[in-house]
Amino acid sequence: MRIISVKRLKNFWLNRKHKDSEQSLKAWYHEARKSRWKSHNDIKDKYRSASILKDDRAVFNIKGNKYRLVVMVSYKYQVVFIRFIGTHEEYNKINAEKI
């Protein structure tokens, strides 16, 4: 999978308030990059705690669910778009299906 944009993840973990997310986000990035997801089922097979939303979106728990990562996946083009990364509290304030 091609990840757009890694810069968004990097900016998040470089923020000293979120420094503890670095290893978990890097691990997710490297696993997702090597993946060839063809459907939401492929995501659920690898990430049992991931939530599948409409419009080809998925929510991943990062760092023991301290952080949430929302992505939109284009299975046809093998691209993952980072839509949101934030704390669980920040996630609760957004509409993950629209962001």
Side-chain angles (χ1 to χ4, degrees):
M1 303 298 289
R2 200 166 113 221
I3 314 295
I4 300 176
S5 147
V6 177
K7 184 177 180 180
R8 194 171 201 178
L9 296 178
K10 187 175 181 182
N11 287 342
F12 186 80
W13 78 58
L14 288 175
N15 181 322
R16 68 181 207 211
K17 292 188 295 184
H18 309 298
K19 186 69 177 158
D20 62 338
S21 69
E22 182 175 2
Q23 292 306 314
S24 297
L25 285 171
K26 282 181 176 179
W28 177 88
Y29 168 76
H30 289 294
E31 289 173 2
R33 199 165 155 244
K34 292 177 186 175
S35 298
R36 297 292 173 252
W37 298 326
K38 292 183 173 44
S39 73
H40 289 310
N41 292 332
D42 293 337
I43 293 173
K44 287 299 278 185
D45 286 346
K46 176 73 177 166
Y47 301 96
R48 299 233 180 255
S49 64
S51 299
I52 304 301
L53 307 176
K54 9 183 214 182
D55 295 330
D56 293 326
R57 293 171 193 264
V59 181
F60 296 91
N61 299 321
I62 304 294
K63 184 76 176 158
N65 207 19
K66 182 175 181 181
Y67 303 107
R68 307 298 299 276
L69 173 63
V70 179
V71 302
M72 184 171 62
V73 183
S74 171
Y75 299 102
K76 179 179 180 180
Y77 297 106
Q78 293 290 288
V79 177
V80 175
F81 299 93
I82 306 297
R83 305 300 298 152
F84 171 85
I85 178 68
T87 65
H88 200 113
E89 182 178 311
E90 292 167 336
Y91 170 82
N92 289 336
K93 295 177 182 176
I94 66 162
N95 182 342
E97 294 179 346
K98 303 244 184 220
I99 196 163

